[in-house]
Amino acid sequence: MSNILDKILARKVEEVAESMSRRPLTEVKTAMADVPAPRSLRRSLEQTPGGVISEFKRRSPSKDWIKRDARPEDIIPTYEAAGAAALSILTDHDFFGGSLADVVAARPLTSLPILRKEFIIDPYQIYEARAAGADAILLIAAAIGAARCHELAAVAKEAGLEVLLEIHSAEELEAYSPNVDVLGVNNRDLKVFRTDPEQSIRLFDQLPAGPLPISESGLLDPAVARRVLSAGYRGILVGEAFMKHDVPGDALKAYLNCLLNPADEA
């Protein structure tokens, strides 16, 4: 498979320019004053059994459409009712079928913290996330490099947002800074979209002590997720395993039951 990440990033540069031309930064910053106070992603992960960040995701470059007609109002409340610690909402349109409008729609539907899951390359997207009602943003080390992660994490803090830094390898730990609240190990190699949950196990002992560690991708099986949590991770991010079901919240509820009560699996 060709390098999907490069294609996504090339398109993202165009998208940001288009968004800035439609809605100037001054207008976005003004809109930030009208959104609710941010909720803490880290605190919710620490306080919620299982620490599951449940994802709203219509499609994936590697799997195509998962749930083409998914609507926040049908899914977000079911995630909260089922015991999610937080929500991850994909806002990339061309490759994941999402939109920032999904965050706007989800905000009044839930008291859970919302992560804008996006390929953030510019401060504009951070202010845009806050104005939409997001509580945290994702920074991907493989996408923008260590120096840019440091810069954008500082911008996020200034905007009142928490930061989830995503890495895939030990080398990418250079992207960590004290402005990072949650450190996610992505078990998926974004260059080829291959997934190996053992990546989290291999990297855990090398992670810094400051941020809350979570594991992302490839955790469809609660038994695999339990092994990752047993290694020391404090949360997990799961999307496809829930979204492919008719009622994603029901899938989350069953998943959490297996995750937290392994004796019931039999």
Side-chain angles (χ1 to χ4, degrees), residues 32 35 38 123 126-128 130-131 134 153-162:
M32 288 169 54
V35 297
I126 296 173
Y127 296 119
E128 202 180 35
R130 185 70 198 107
V155 171
K157 282 297 166 184
E158 184 269 333
L161 293 167
E162 289 192 348

Side-chain angles (χ1 to χ4, degrees), residues 139-263:
L139 295 177
I140 305 173
I144 57 176
R148 192 61 168 161
C149 282
H150 295 168
E151 294 169 9
L152 294 180
V155 171
K157 282 297 166 184
E158 184 269 333
L161 293 167
E162 289 192 348
V163 176
L164 166 55
L165 173 67
E166 178 179 294
I167 66 163
H168 178 69
S169 66
E171 292 74 23
E172 290 173 359
L173 283 169
E174 293 180 5
Y176 170 71
S177 72
N179 287 318
V180 171
D181 303 278
V182 180
L183 182 61
V185 174
N186 192 350
N187 300 309
R188 178 175 293 123
D189 183 339
L190 290 179
K191 292 182 171 58
V192 294
F193 271 66
R194 235 187 340 259
T195 304
D196 176 13
E198 289 299 310
Q199 185 69 0
S200 287
I201 307 296
R202 289 189 287 265
L203 280 183
F204 184 78
D205 288 341
Q206 300 179 60
L207 302 183
L212 192 80
I214 69 167
S215 179
E216 311 169 36
S217 301
L219 304 172
L220 281 70
D221 184 345
V224 175
R226 195 181 312 117
R227 182 165 182 266
V228 164
L229 293 173
S230 296
Y233 287 89
R234 300 293 302 281
I236 56 175
L237 191 151
V238 183
E240 180 188 336
F242 306 148
M243 289 297 296
K244 68 183 182 181
H245 285 77
D246 289 341
V247 183
D250 288 351
L252 167 61
K253 186 175 181 179
Y255 186 96
L256 274 171
N257 184 60
C258 290
L259 181 67
L260 300 174
N261 305 290

Side-chain angles (χ1 to χ4, degrees), residues 7-244:
K7 294 179 181 178
I8 293 173
L9 294 174
R11 175 60 187 136
K12 202 57 56 180
V13 171
E14 298 172 348
E15 280 182 19
V16 171
E18 292 163 3
S19 296
M20 293 178 75
S21 67
R22 286 194 305 266
R23 192 183 188 196
L25 181 58
T26 52
E27 184 180 319
V28 174
K29 286 188 173 182
T30 298
M32 288 169 54
D34 297 327
V35 297
R39 300 147 172 86
S40 173
L41 172 65
R42 176 173 182 148
R43 190 179 310 119
S44 190
L45 287 169
E46 290 173 329
Q47 296 177 351
T48 308
V52 177
I53 304 175
S54 298
E55 194 155 83
F56 182 85
K57 173 182 180 180
R58 293 187 182 92
R59 72 179 296 246
S60 163
S62 60
K63 300 286 179 69
D64 203 22
W65 290 103
I66 302 167
K67 194 181 293 291
R68 185 189 291 265
D69 299 321
R71 303 189 308 167
E73 56 265 39
D74 296 331
I75 294 172
I76 298 304
T78 74
Y79 274 158
E80 180 165 9
L87 305 166
S88 169
I89 298 182
L90 259 298
T91 63
D92 174 84
H93 176 268
D94 289 11
F95 296 88
F96 291 87
S99 165
L100 193 62
D102 291 328
V103 175
V104 175
R107 181 69 284 164
L109 299 172
T110 181
S111 63
L112 296 178
I114 294 175
L115 169 74
R116 181 190 186 185
K117 195 172 186 188
E118 178 59 90
F119 295 84
I120 302 284
I121 61 170
D122 189 277
Y124 181 88
Q125 296 163 286
I126 296 173
Y127 296 119
E128 202 180 35
R130 185 70 198 107
D135 306 288
I137 55 111
L138 174 71
L139 295 177
I140 305 173
I144 57 176
R148 192 61 168 161
C149 282
H150 295 168
E151 294 169 9
L152 294 180
V155 171
K157 282 297 166 184
E158 184 269 333
L161 293 167
E162 289 192 348
V163 176
L164 166 55
L165 173 67
E166 178 179 294
I167 66 163
H168 178 69
S169 66
E171 292 74 23
E172 290 173 359
L173 283 169
E174 293 180 5
Y176 170 71
S177 72
N179 287 318
V180 171
D181 303 278
V182 180
L183 182 61
V185 174
N186 192 350
N187 300 309
R188 178 175 293 123
D189 183 339
L190 290 179
K191 292 182 171 58
V192 294
F193 271 66
R194 235 187 340 259
T195 304
D196 176 13
E198 289 299 310
Q199 185 69 0
S200 287
I201 307 296
R202 289 189 287 265
L203 280 183
F204 184 78
D205 288 341
Q206 300 179 60
L207 302 183
L212 192 80
I214 69 167
S215 179
E216 311 169 36
S217 301
L219 304 172
L220 281 70
D221 184 345
V224 175
R226 195 181 312 117
R227 182 165 182 266
V228 164
L229 293 173
S230 296
Y233 287 89
R234 300 293 302 281
I236 56 175
L237 191 151
V238 183
E240 180 188 336
F242 306 148
M243 289 297 296
K244 68 183 182 181

